[in-house]
Amino acid sequence: VRSAAERLIGKARVGNEGAILRLFEEHHLPLYRFAWRLTGSTADAEDIVQECFLALLRPGCGFDPARTPLRTYLFGAVRNQWLKRLRRREECAAQERVDDLTPEKSALRGEVADAVARAIAALPQTQREVLVLAHYEQLSLAEIGEITELEVTAVKSRLQRARAALREMLAAYAPETERIL
Amino acid sequence: MNDAELNQMLDSWEAPAPAASLREGLLDRFPRAEPRRFGRKLVWALATVAASLVLVIGLGQGADYSSDFPMLRFIGDFYNHVLDGLDLHQMHGLMVRIEQSSPKVSVDGQPAAPLVYGPGTAMSVEVPGGGTYKFISVRRREEFLLSRGGTPAGWVDAGHIHGSMIEFEAGGKQVRIECNQPIADSDRVVFVRRLQ
């Protein structure tokens, strides 16, 4: 018996626009947030999310509903797209975008939020993705393990290290946080 | 900094809502199925009509099955309506051509009053001592009669049109209308009715 997602993907593969839109409406928000937090760029996040949906339609698509829920598969696809881009740009481009914030921009966007963005961008890629999925998308350790192809213990360990690093990087803002939040 | 404080700080970094361009971009890149074009539908519709006409004409030349098969009767009626429409269009064109061809009317060889055009596609001719007669012309007698279930009340199959000449019988007299140029591509049948 085919799942609803499978049926929609099947229809979208033969050019049914309504089917791809239903898949998009159901999943695009968390995927976009995830992509945006990884890349720090609206344009890159849009491109990655679009690419993930389009990749579902390709004959060689590795989505297997028997093994992975579509949501988990799509998060994994976003991550893979991001990693591809990172390799192409040697990570520095993504780093520059976050560092590129002027003091004025920082003031406008909120100093704490900027500090958090900078701190997360400074995390190693392996910790950053785990932290974003766990904290911002509220995914379980098992789901994150499936997306990042890691054991749950490894996910837990990376998450702890990420939080420890953030705690250290953001320590200077702690009094500020109390005042602002 | 404890866990709750760290979480509070992390929450201050909010992701923006996706712009409409995300959805639009996806649709732009989405390989849609090629929509079926009107041309293909039209070809199928024409082929269906042509096949139906062949079927009806074939049946019309053989036994009358139309009363036994409602679908065939419907197709036959449709076919007759199409022919009527064509006839009406042609009759109007014919009347215009007659009017533009300086028609000379004679009754039993004697010059008679000019034609009166209309109403509709009919024309009238005055037959001395016999009254006024209205006439119309159709391409095929059988189809005209079939579509109306026989000769319409008051109308008589009375003559024909050939080239530039219209000839028919009215009130026992021979009416000839001679035009200065051909008015019909093929011979046509003339039906005549006496006006009260």
Side-chain angles (χ1 to χ4, degrees), chain B residues 8-83:
Chain B
Q8 212 172 16
M9 282 188 82
L10 293 179
D11 287 343
S12 69
W13 186 41
E14 289 175 354
S21 55
L22 174 61
R23 187 177 189 274
E24 288 159 10
L26 176 68
L27 291 179
D28 283 347
R29 296 167 69 183
F30 178 66
R32 282 177 194 77
E34 189 185 348
R36 292 189 174 191
R37 288 174 300 178
F38 176 69
R40 195 187 296 176
K41 286 181 181 169
L42 184 65
V43 167
W44 275 106
L46 289 175
T48 306
V49 168
S52 305
L53 291 180
V54 167
L55 183 65
V56 169
I57 291 167
L59 287 172
Q61 288 172 349
D64 180 15
Y65 298 110
S66 60
S67 57
D68 298 331
F69 299 100
M71 189 61 199
L72 290 182
R73 195 163 60 242
F74 169 77
I75 294 170
D77 288 348
F78 173 74
Y79 174 61
N80 287 328
H81 285 310
V82 170
L83 289 180

Side-chain angles (χ1 to χ4, degrees), chain A residues 109-156:
Chain A
R109 284 178 54 182
E111 202 178 339
V112 176
D114 278 349
V116 171
R118 275 198 301 273
I120 291 175
L123 290 174
Q125 163 252 312
T126 50
Q127 293 177 23
R128 198 188 314 169
E129 60 190 15
V130 169
L131 179 104
V132 171
L133 289 171
H135 182 81
Y136 292 102
E137 299 308 327
Q138 305 284 303
L139 264 57
S140 68
L141 295 179
E143 279 179 299
I144 297 171
E146 206 166 344
I147 292 165
T148 55
E149 297 169 341
L150 291 170
E151 294 295 323
V152 172
T153 49
V155 173
K156 199 172 177 180

Side-chain angles (χ1 to χ4, degrees), chain A residues 41-68:
Chain A
S41 156
T42 302
D44 281 353
E46 282 190 8
D47 198 40
I48 285 176
V49 172
Q50 288 166 2
E51 186 53 39
C52 289
F53 281 106
L54 293 171
L56 268 181
L57 312 180
R58 296 192 185 112
C61 165
F63 172 56
D64 179 0
R67 288 179 48 212
T68 324

Side-chain angles (χ1 to χ4, degrees), chain B residues 37-180:
Chain B
R37 288 174 300 178
F38 176 69
R40 195 187 296 176
K41 286 181 181 169
L42 184 65
V43 167
W44 275 106
L46 289 175
T48 306
V49 168
S52 305
L53 291 180
V54 167
L55 183 65
V56 169
I57 291 167
L59 287 172
Q61 288 172 349
D64 180 15
Y65 298 110
S66 60
S67 57
D68 298 331
F69 299 100
M71 189 61 199
L72 290 182
R73 195 163 60 242
F74 169 77
I75 294 170
D77 288 348
F78 173 74
Y79 174 61
N80 287 328
H81 285 310
V82 170
L83 289 180
D84 284 352
L86 287 172
D87 259 351
L88 196 67
H89 178 70
Q90 287 182 346
M91 281 192 283
H92 179 74
L94 184 74
M95 190 173 77
V96 171
R97 280 197 296 281
I98 291 171
E99 197 173 3
Q100 293 171 348
S101 305
S102 307
K104 292 185 174 59
V105 183
S106 64
V107 178
D108 282 347
Q110 299 298 312
L115 286 176
V116 175
Y117 302 97
T121 55
M123 290 159 277
S124 306
V125 64
E126 185 70 35
V127 176
T132 303
Y133 286 81
K134 199 173 185 177
F135 69 94
I136 58 170
S137 157
V138 294
R139 280 192 309 166
R140 288 174 292 271
R141 176 186 292 108
E142 294 76 13
E143 282 156 11
F144 177 72
L145 299 179
L146 186 68
S147 69
R148 287 158 180 81
T151 309
W155 290 93
V156 179
D157 175 1
H160 63 272
I161 295 175
H162 178 75
S164 58
M165 186 69 74
I166 305 169
E167 290 181 294
F168 57 88
E169 195 183 308
K173 297 184 178 179
Q174 193 64 32
V175 178
R176 284 169 62 98
I177 303 166
E178 191 174 354
C179 301
N180 65 6

